[in-house]
Short mmCIF file of all heavy atoms in Angstrom, two decimals:
data_model
loop_
_atom_site.label_atom_id
_atom_site.label_comp_id
_atom_site.label_asym_id
_atom_site.label_seq_id
_atom_site.Cartn_x
_atom_site.Cartn_y
_atom_site.Cartn_z
N VAL A 38 16.13 18.17 -5.98
CA VAL A 38 17.11 19.00 -5.27
C VAL A 38 17.93 18.14 -4.30
O VAL A 38 19.15 18.30 -4.19
CB VAL A 38 16.41 20.17 -4.54
CG1 VAL A 38 17.36 20.87 -3.57
CG2 VAL A 38 15.87 21.17 -5.55
N ALA A 39 17.27 17.19 -3.64
CA ALA A 39 17.99 16.28 -2.74
C ALA A 39 18.98 15.42 -3.51
O ALA A 39 20.11 15.19 -3.07
CB ALA A 39 17.00 15.41 -1.97
N LEU A 40 18.55 14.94 -4.69
CA LEU A 40 19.47 14.14 -5.52
C LEU A 40 20.61 15.01 -6.04
O LEU A 40 21.76 14.58 -6.07
CB LEU A 40 18.72 13.49 -6.67
CG LEU A 40 19.57 12.62 -7.61
CD1 LEU A 40 20.27 11.48 -6.85
CD2 LEU A 40 18.72 12.07 -8.74
N GLU A 41 20.30 16.25 -6.40
CA GLU A 41 21.34 17.16 -6.87
C GLU A 41 22.38 17.38 -5.76
O GLU A 41 23.59 17.35 -6.02
CB GLU A 41 20.73 18.48 -7.30
CG GLU A 41 21.71 19.44 -7.93
CD GLU A 41 21.04 20.71 -8.43
OE1 GLU A 41 20.09 21.19 -7.81
OE2 GLU A 41 21.50 21.21 -9.48
N ALA A 42 21.92 17.55 -4.52
CA ALA A 42 22.85 17.70 -3.40
C ALA A 42 23.68 16.43 -3.21
O ALA A 42 24.88 16.50 -2.92
CB ALA A 42 22.08 18.03 -2.12
N MET A 43 23.04 15.29 -3.39
CA MET A 43 23.74 14.02 -3.27
C MET A 43 24.81 13.89 -4.36
O MET A 43 25.92 13.42 -4.09
CB MET A 43 22.72 12.88 -3.37
CG MET A 43 23.23 11.53 -3.03
SD MET A 43 21.83 10.38 -3.09
CE MET A 43 22.70 8.85 -2.80
N ILE A 44 24.47 14.32 -5.57
CA ILE A 44 25.41 14.26 -6.68
C ILE A 44 26.59 15.20 -6.45
O ILE A 44 27.73 14.86 -6.76
CB ILE A 44 24.70 14.59 -8.02
CG1 ILE A 44 23.77 13.44 -8.40
CG2 ILE A 44 25.70 14.89 -9.13
CD1 ILE A 44 22.84 13.77 -9.55
N GLU A 45 26.31 16.36 -5.89
CA GLU A 45 27.37 17.34 -5.64
C GLU A 45 28.31 16.90 -4.53
O GLU A 45 29.44 17.34 -4.46
CB GLU A 45 26.77 18.72 -5.32
CG GLU A 45 26.07 19.36 -6.50
CD GLU A 45 26.99 19.60 -7.69
OE1 GLU A 45 28.17 19.96 -7.49
OE2 GLU A 45 26.52 19.43 -8.83
N GLY A 46 27.84 16.02 -3.65
CA GLY A 46 28.69 15.50 -2.58
C GLY A 46 28.66 16.37 -1.34
O GLY A 46 28.00 17.40 -1.29
N GLY A 47 29.39 15.93 -0.35
CA GLY A 47 29.51 16.69 0.88
C GLY A 47 28.50 16.35 1.95
O GLY A 47 28.54 16.88 3.05
N PRO A 50 25.41 10.30 2.04
CA PRO A 50 24.65 9.67 0.96
C PRO A 50 23.55 8.70 1.41
O PRO A 50 22.43 8.78 0.89
CB PRO A 50 25.72 8.97 0.11
CG PRO A 50 26.94 9.79 0.35
CD PRO A 50 26.85 10.21 1.79
N PRO A 51 23.79 7.80 2.37
CA PRO A 51 22.69 6.92 2.77
C PRO A 51 21.49 7.69 3.36
O PRO A 51 20.34 7.37 3.07
CB PRO A 51 23.31 5.99 3.82
CG PRO A 51 24.77 5.97 3.46
CD PRO A 51 25.06 7.37 2.98
N GLN A 53 20.73 10.82 2.64
CA GLN A 53 20.13 11.54 1.52
C GLN A 53 19.25 10.61 0.68
O GLN A 53 18.15 10.98 0.27
CB GLN A 53 21.22 12.17 0.66
CG GLN A 53 21.94 13.32 1.35
CD GLN A 53 23.19 13.75 0.61
OE1 GLN A 53 24.01 12.92 0.21
NE2 GLN A 53 23.34 15.06 0.42
N ALA A 54 19.72 9.39 0.45
CA ALA A 54 18.95 8.42 -0.31
C ALA A 54 17.66 8.06 0.44
O ALA A 54 16.60 7.91 -0.17
CB ALA A 54 19.78 7.17 -0.60
N ILE A 57 15.14 10.78 0.00
CA ILE A 57 14.56 10.70 -1.34
C ILE A 57 13.51 9.60 -1.39
O ILE A 57 12.43 9.79 -1.97
CB ILE A 57 15.66 10.51 -2.40
CG1 ILE A 57 16.49 11.80 -2.52
CG2 ILE A 57 15.07 10.11 -3.75
CD1 ILE A 57 17.76 11.67 -3.33
N ALA A 105 18.02 6.58 -9.19
CA ALA A 105 19.34 7.19 -9.35
C ALA A 105 20.05 7.31 -8.01
O ALA A 105 21.24 7.00 -7.90
CB ALA A 105 19.21 8.56 -10.01
N ALA A 106 19.32 7.71 -6.98
CA ALA A 106 19.92 7.81 -5.64
C ALA A 106 20.38 6.44 -5.15
O ALA A 106 21.48 6.31 -4.61
CB ALA A 106 18.91 8.42 -4.65
N SER A 107 19.55 5.45 -5.39
CA SER A 107 19.91 4.09 -5.00
C SER A 107 21.14 3.61 -5.75
O SER A 107 22.05 2.99 -5.17
CB SER A 107 18.72 3.16 -5.26
OG SER A 107 19.07 1.83 -4.96
N LEU A 109 23.55 5.41 -6.96
CA LEU A 109 24.74 6.10 -6.43
C LEU A 109 25.26 5.40 -5.19
O LEU A 109 26.47 5.31 -4.98
CB LEU A 109 24.43 7.56 -6.13
CG LEU A 109 24.18 8.46 -7.35
CD1 LEU A 109 23.71 9.84 -6.90
CD2 LEU A 109 25.42 8.56 -8.21
N ILE A 110 24.36 4.88 -4.36
CA ILE A 110 24.76 4.16 -3.15
C ILE A 110 25.30 2.77 -3.51
O ILE A 110 26.38 2.38 -3.08
CB ILE A 110 23.56 4.01 -2.18
CG1 ILE A 110 23.06 5.38 -1.71
CG2 ILE A 110 23.91 3.11 -1.00
CD1 ILE A 110 24.07 6.16 -0.89
N VAL A 114 29.27 5.61 -6.07
CA VAL A 114 29.74 6.65 -6.97
C VAL A 114 29.99 7.92 -6.16
O VAL A 114 29.07 8.48 -5.56
CB VAL A 114 28.71 6.94 -8.08
CG1 VAL A 114 29.17 8.08 -8.97
CG2 VAL A 114 28.47 5.68 -8.90
N ASP A 115 31.25 8.35 -6.16
CA ASP A 115 31.60 9.57 -5.44
C ASP A 115 31.46 10.80 -6.33
O ASP A 115 31.05 11.86 -5.89
CB ASP A 115 33.04 9.49 -4.90
CG ASP A 115 33.19 8.42 -3.84
OD1 ASP A 115 32.22 8.18 -3.10
OD2 ASP A 115 34.28 7.82 -3.79
N PRO A 117 29.86 11.66 -10.03
CA PRO A 117 29.22 11.37 -11.32
C PRO A 117 29.88 12.18 -12.43
O PRO A 117 30.56 13.17 -12.19
CB PRO A 117 27.77 11.81 -11.11
CG PRO A 117 27.59 11.80 -9.64
CD PRO A 117 28.92 12.17 -9.05
#
Side-chain angles (χ1 to χ4, degrees):
V38 168
L40 180 59
E41 186 176 36
M43 190 175 175
I44 289 170
E45 292 299 323
Q53 291 169 312
I57 290 169
S107 177
L109 291 173
I110 298 296
V114 177
D115 294 328

